[in-house]
Amino acid sequence: DIEQYIDNIDSIMLRYKLKSMKSRIFTTKEKTKEYIKSHEKNLKWHIARIYRVRNELIHEAALTQEIEGITSNLRYYLVFVINQMIVYFANANSEREISIDDFYNEYYMIKTKISKDLNVKNLLAVPLEQDLLR
């Protein structure tokens, strides 16, 4: 039950965000699919923007007004991915060597599973570690 899941979250802000998302996004599969597609598009756009600013800095030595916000976003993305990797590799129980490709493939398979069968259970099953995000 998504209501019970939300109520068991310690962070008041995260609980509030999830309740508002539930009422706006998780009412129908189409709305959920539209939200995920929009989020992915915005994330790709934002990473491309960070890369453009990086190129301006490196090649033209241009300073922009938005550099502080962009570096903050980049730091958040980096810490998020590294946090996910640390927990993934720490929990990996395998006879063979685990590589970064295994990490990316795992999340690619999760994304594929969600797009094939879009339901709240699959969304909540995505491993999300927030221990180092501070």
Side-chain angles (χ1 to χ4, degrees):
D1 180 29
I2 189 146
E3 243 352 280
Q4 185 179 9
Y5 175 80
I6 293 172
D7 290 339
N8 288 333
I9 293 177
D10 293 333
S11 169
I12 295 170
M13 183 59 131
L14 184 57
R15 197 174 328 137
Y16 171 75
K17 282 184 144 188
L18 286 173
K19 283 190 185 248
S20 68
M21 284 178 68
K22 178 186 168 258
S23 64
R24 287 181 298 132
I25 298 161
F26 298 123
T27 52
T28 65
K29 284 189 178 187
E30 283 69 36
K31 281 187 176 183
T32 307
K33 198 178 281 189
E34 181 183 311
Y35 174 79
I36 291 172
K37 209 178 263 189
S38 170
H39 186 68
E40 184 176 1
K41 178 183 161 192
N42 288 339
L43 187 61
K44 285 179 180 179
W45 175 85
H46 200 245
I47 290 173
R49 181 171 157 256
I50 290 171
Y51 189 72
R52 271 194 312 277
V53 170
R54 176 246 177 229
N55 284 342
E56 288 176 12
L57 283 169
I58 299 297
H59 299 293
E60 300 169 16
L63 293 177
T64 64
Q65 299 296 325
E66 57 204 32
I67 194 73
E68 193 173 316
I70 288 178
T71 54
S72 174
N73 293 146
L74 184 58
R75 179 191 176 281
Y76 178 82
Y77 294 152
L78 196 59
V79 168
F80 179 82
V81 171
I82 290 172
N83 192 29
Q84 293 297 108
M85 284 181 174
I86 289 170
V87 173
Y88 175 80
F89 288 118
N91 293 336
N93 295 326
S94 178
E95 306 258 331
R96 64 180 185 81
E97 276 190 35
I98 305 285
S99 72
I100 197 164
D101 288 335
D102 295 315
F103 170 78
Y104 286 120
N105 287 334
E106 174 89 17
Y107 280 90
Y108 180 77
M109 289 187 308
I110 291 170
K111 182 183 175 218
T112 304
K113 180 180 179 182
I114 288 171
S115 29
K116 284 182 182 175
D117 183 21
L118 186 62
N119 62 46
V120 175
K121 183 181 176 187
N122 286 340
L123 290 172
L124 294 178
V126 176
L128 176 64
E129 303 299 331
Q130 295 182 325
D131 296 338
L132 302 178
L133 294 176
R134 297 196 202 295

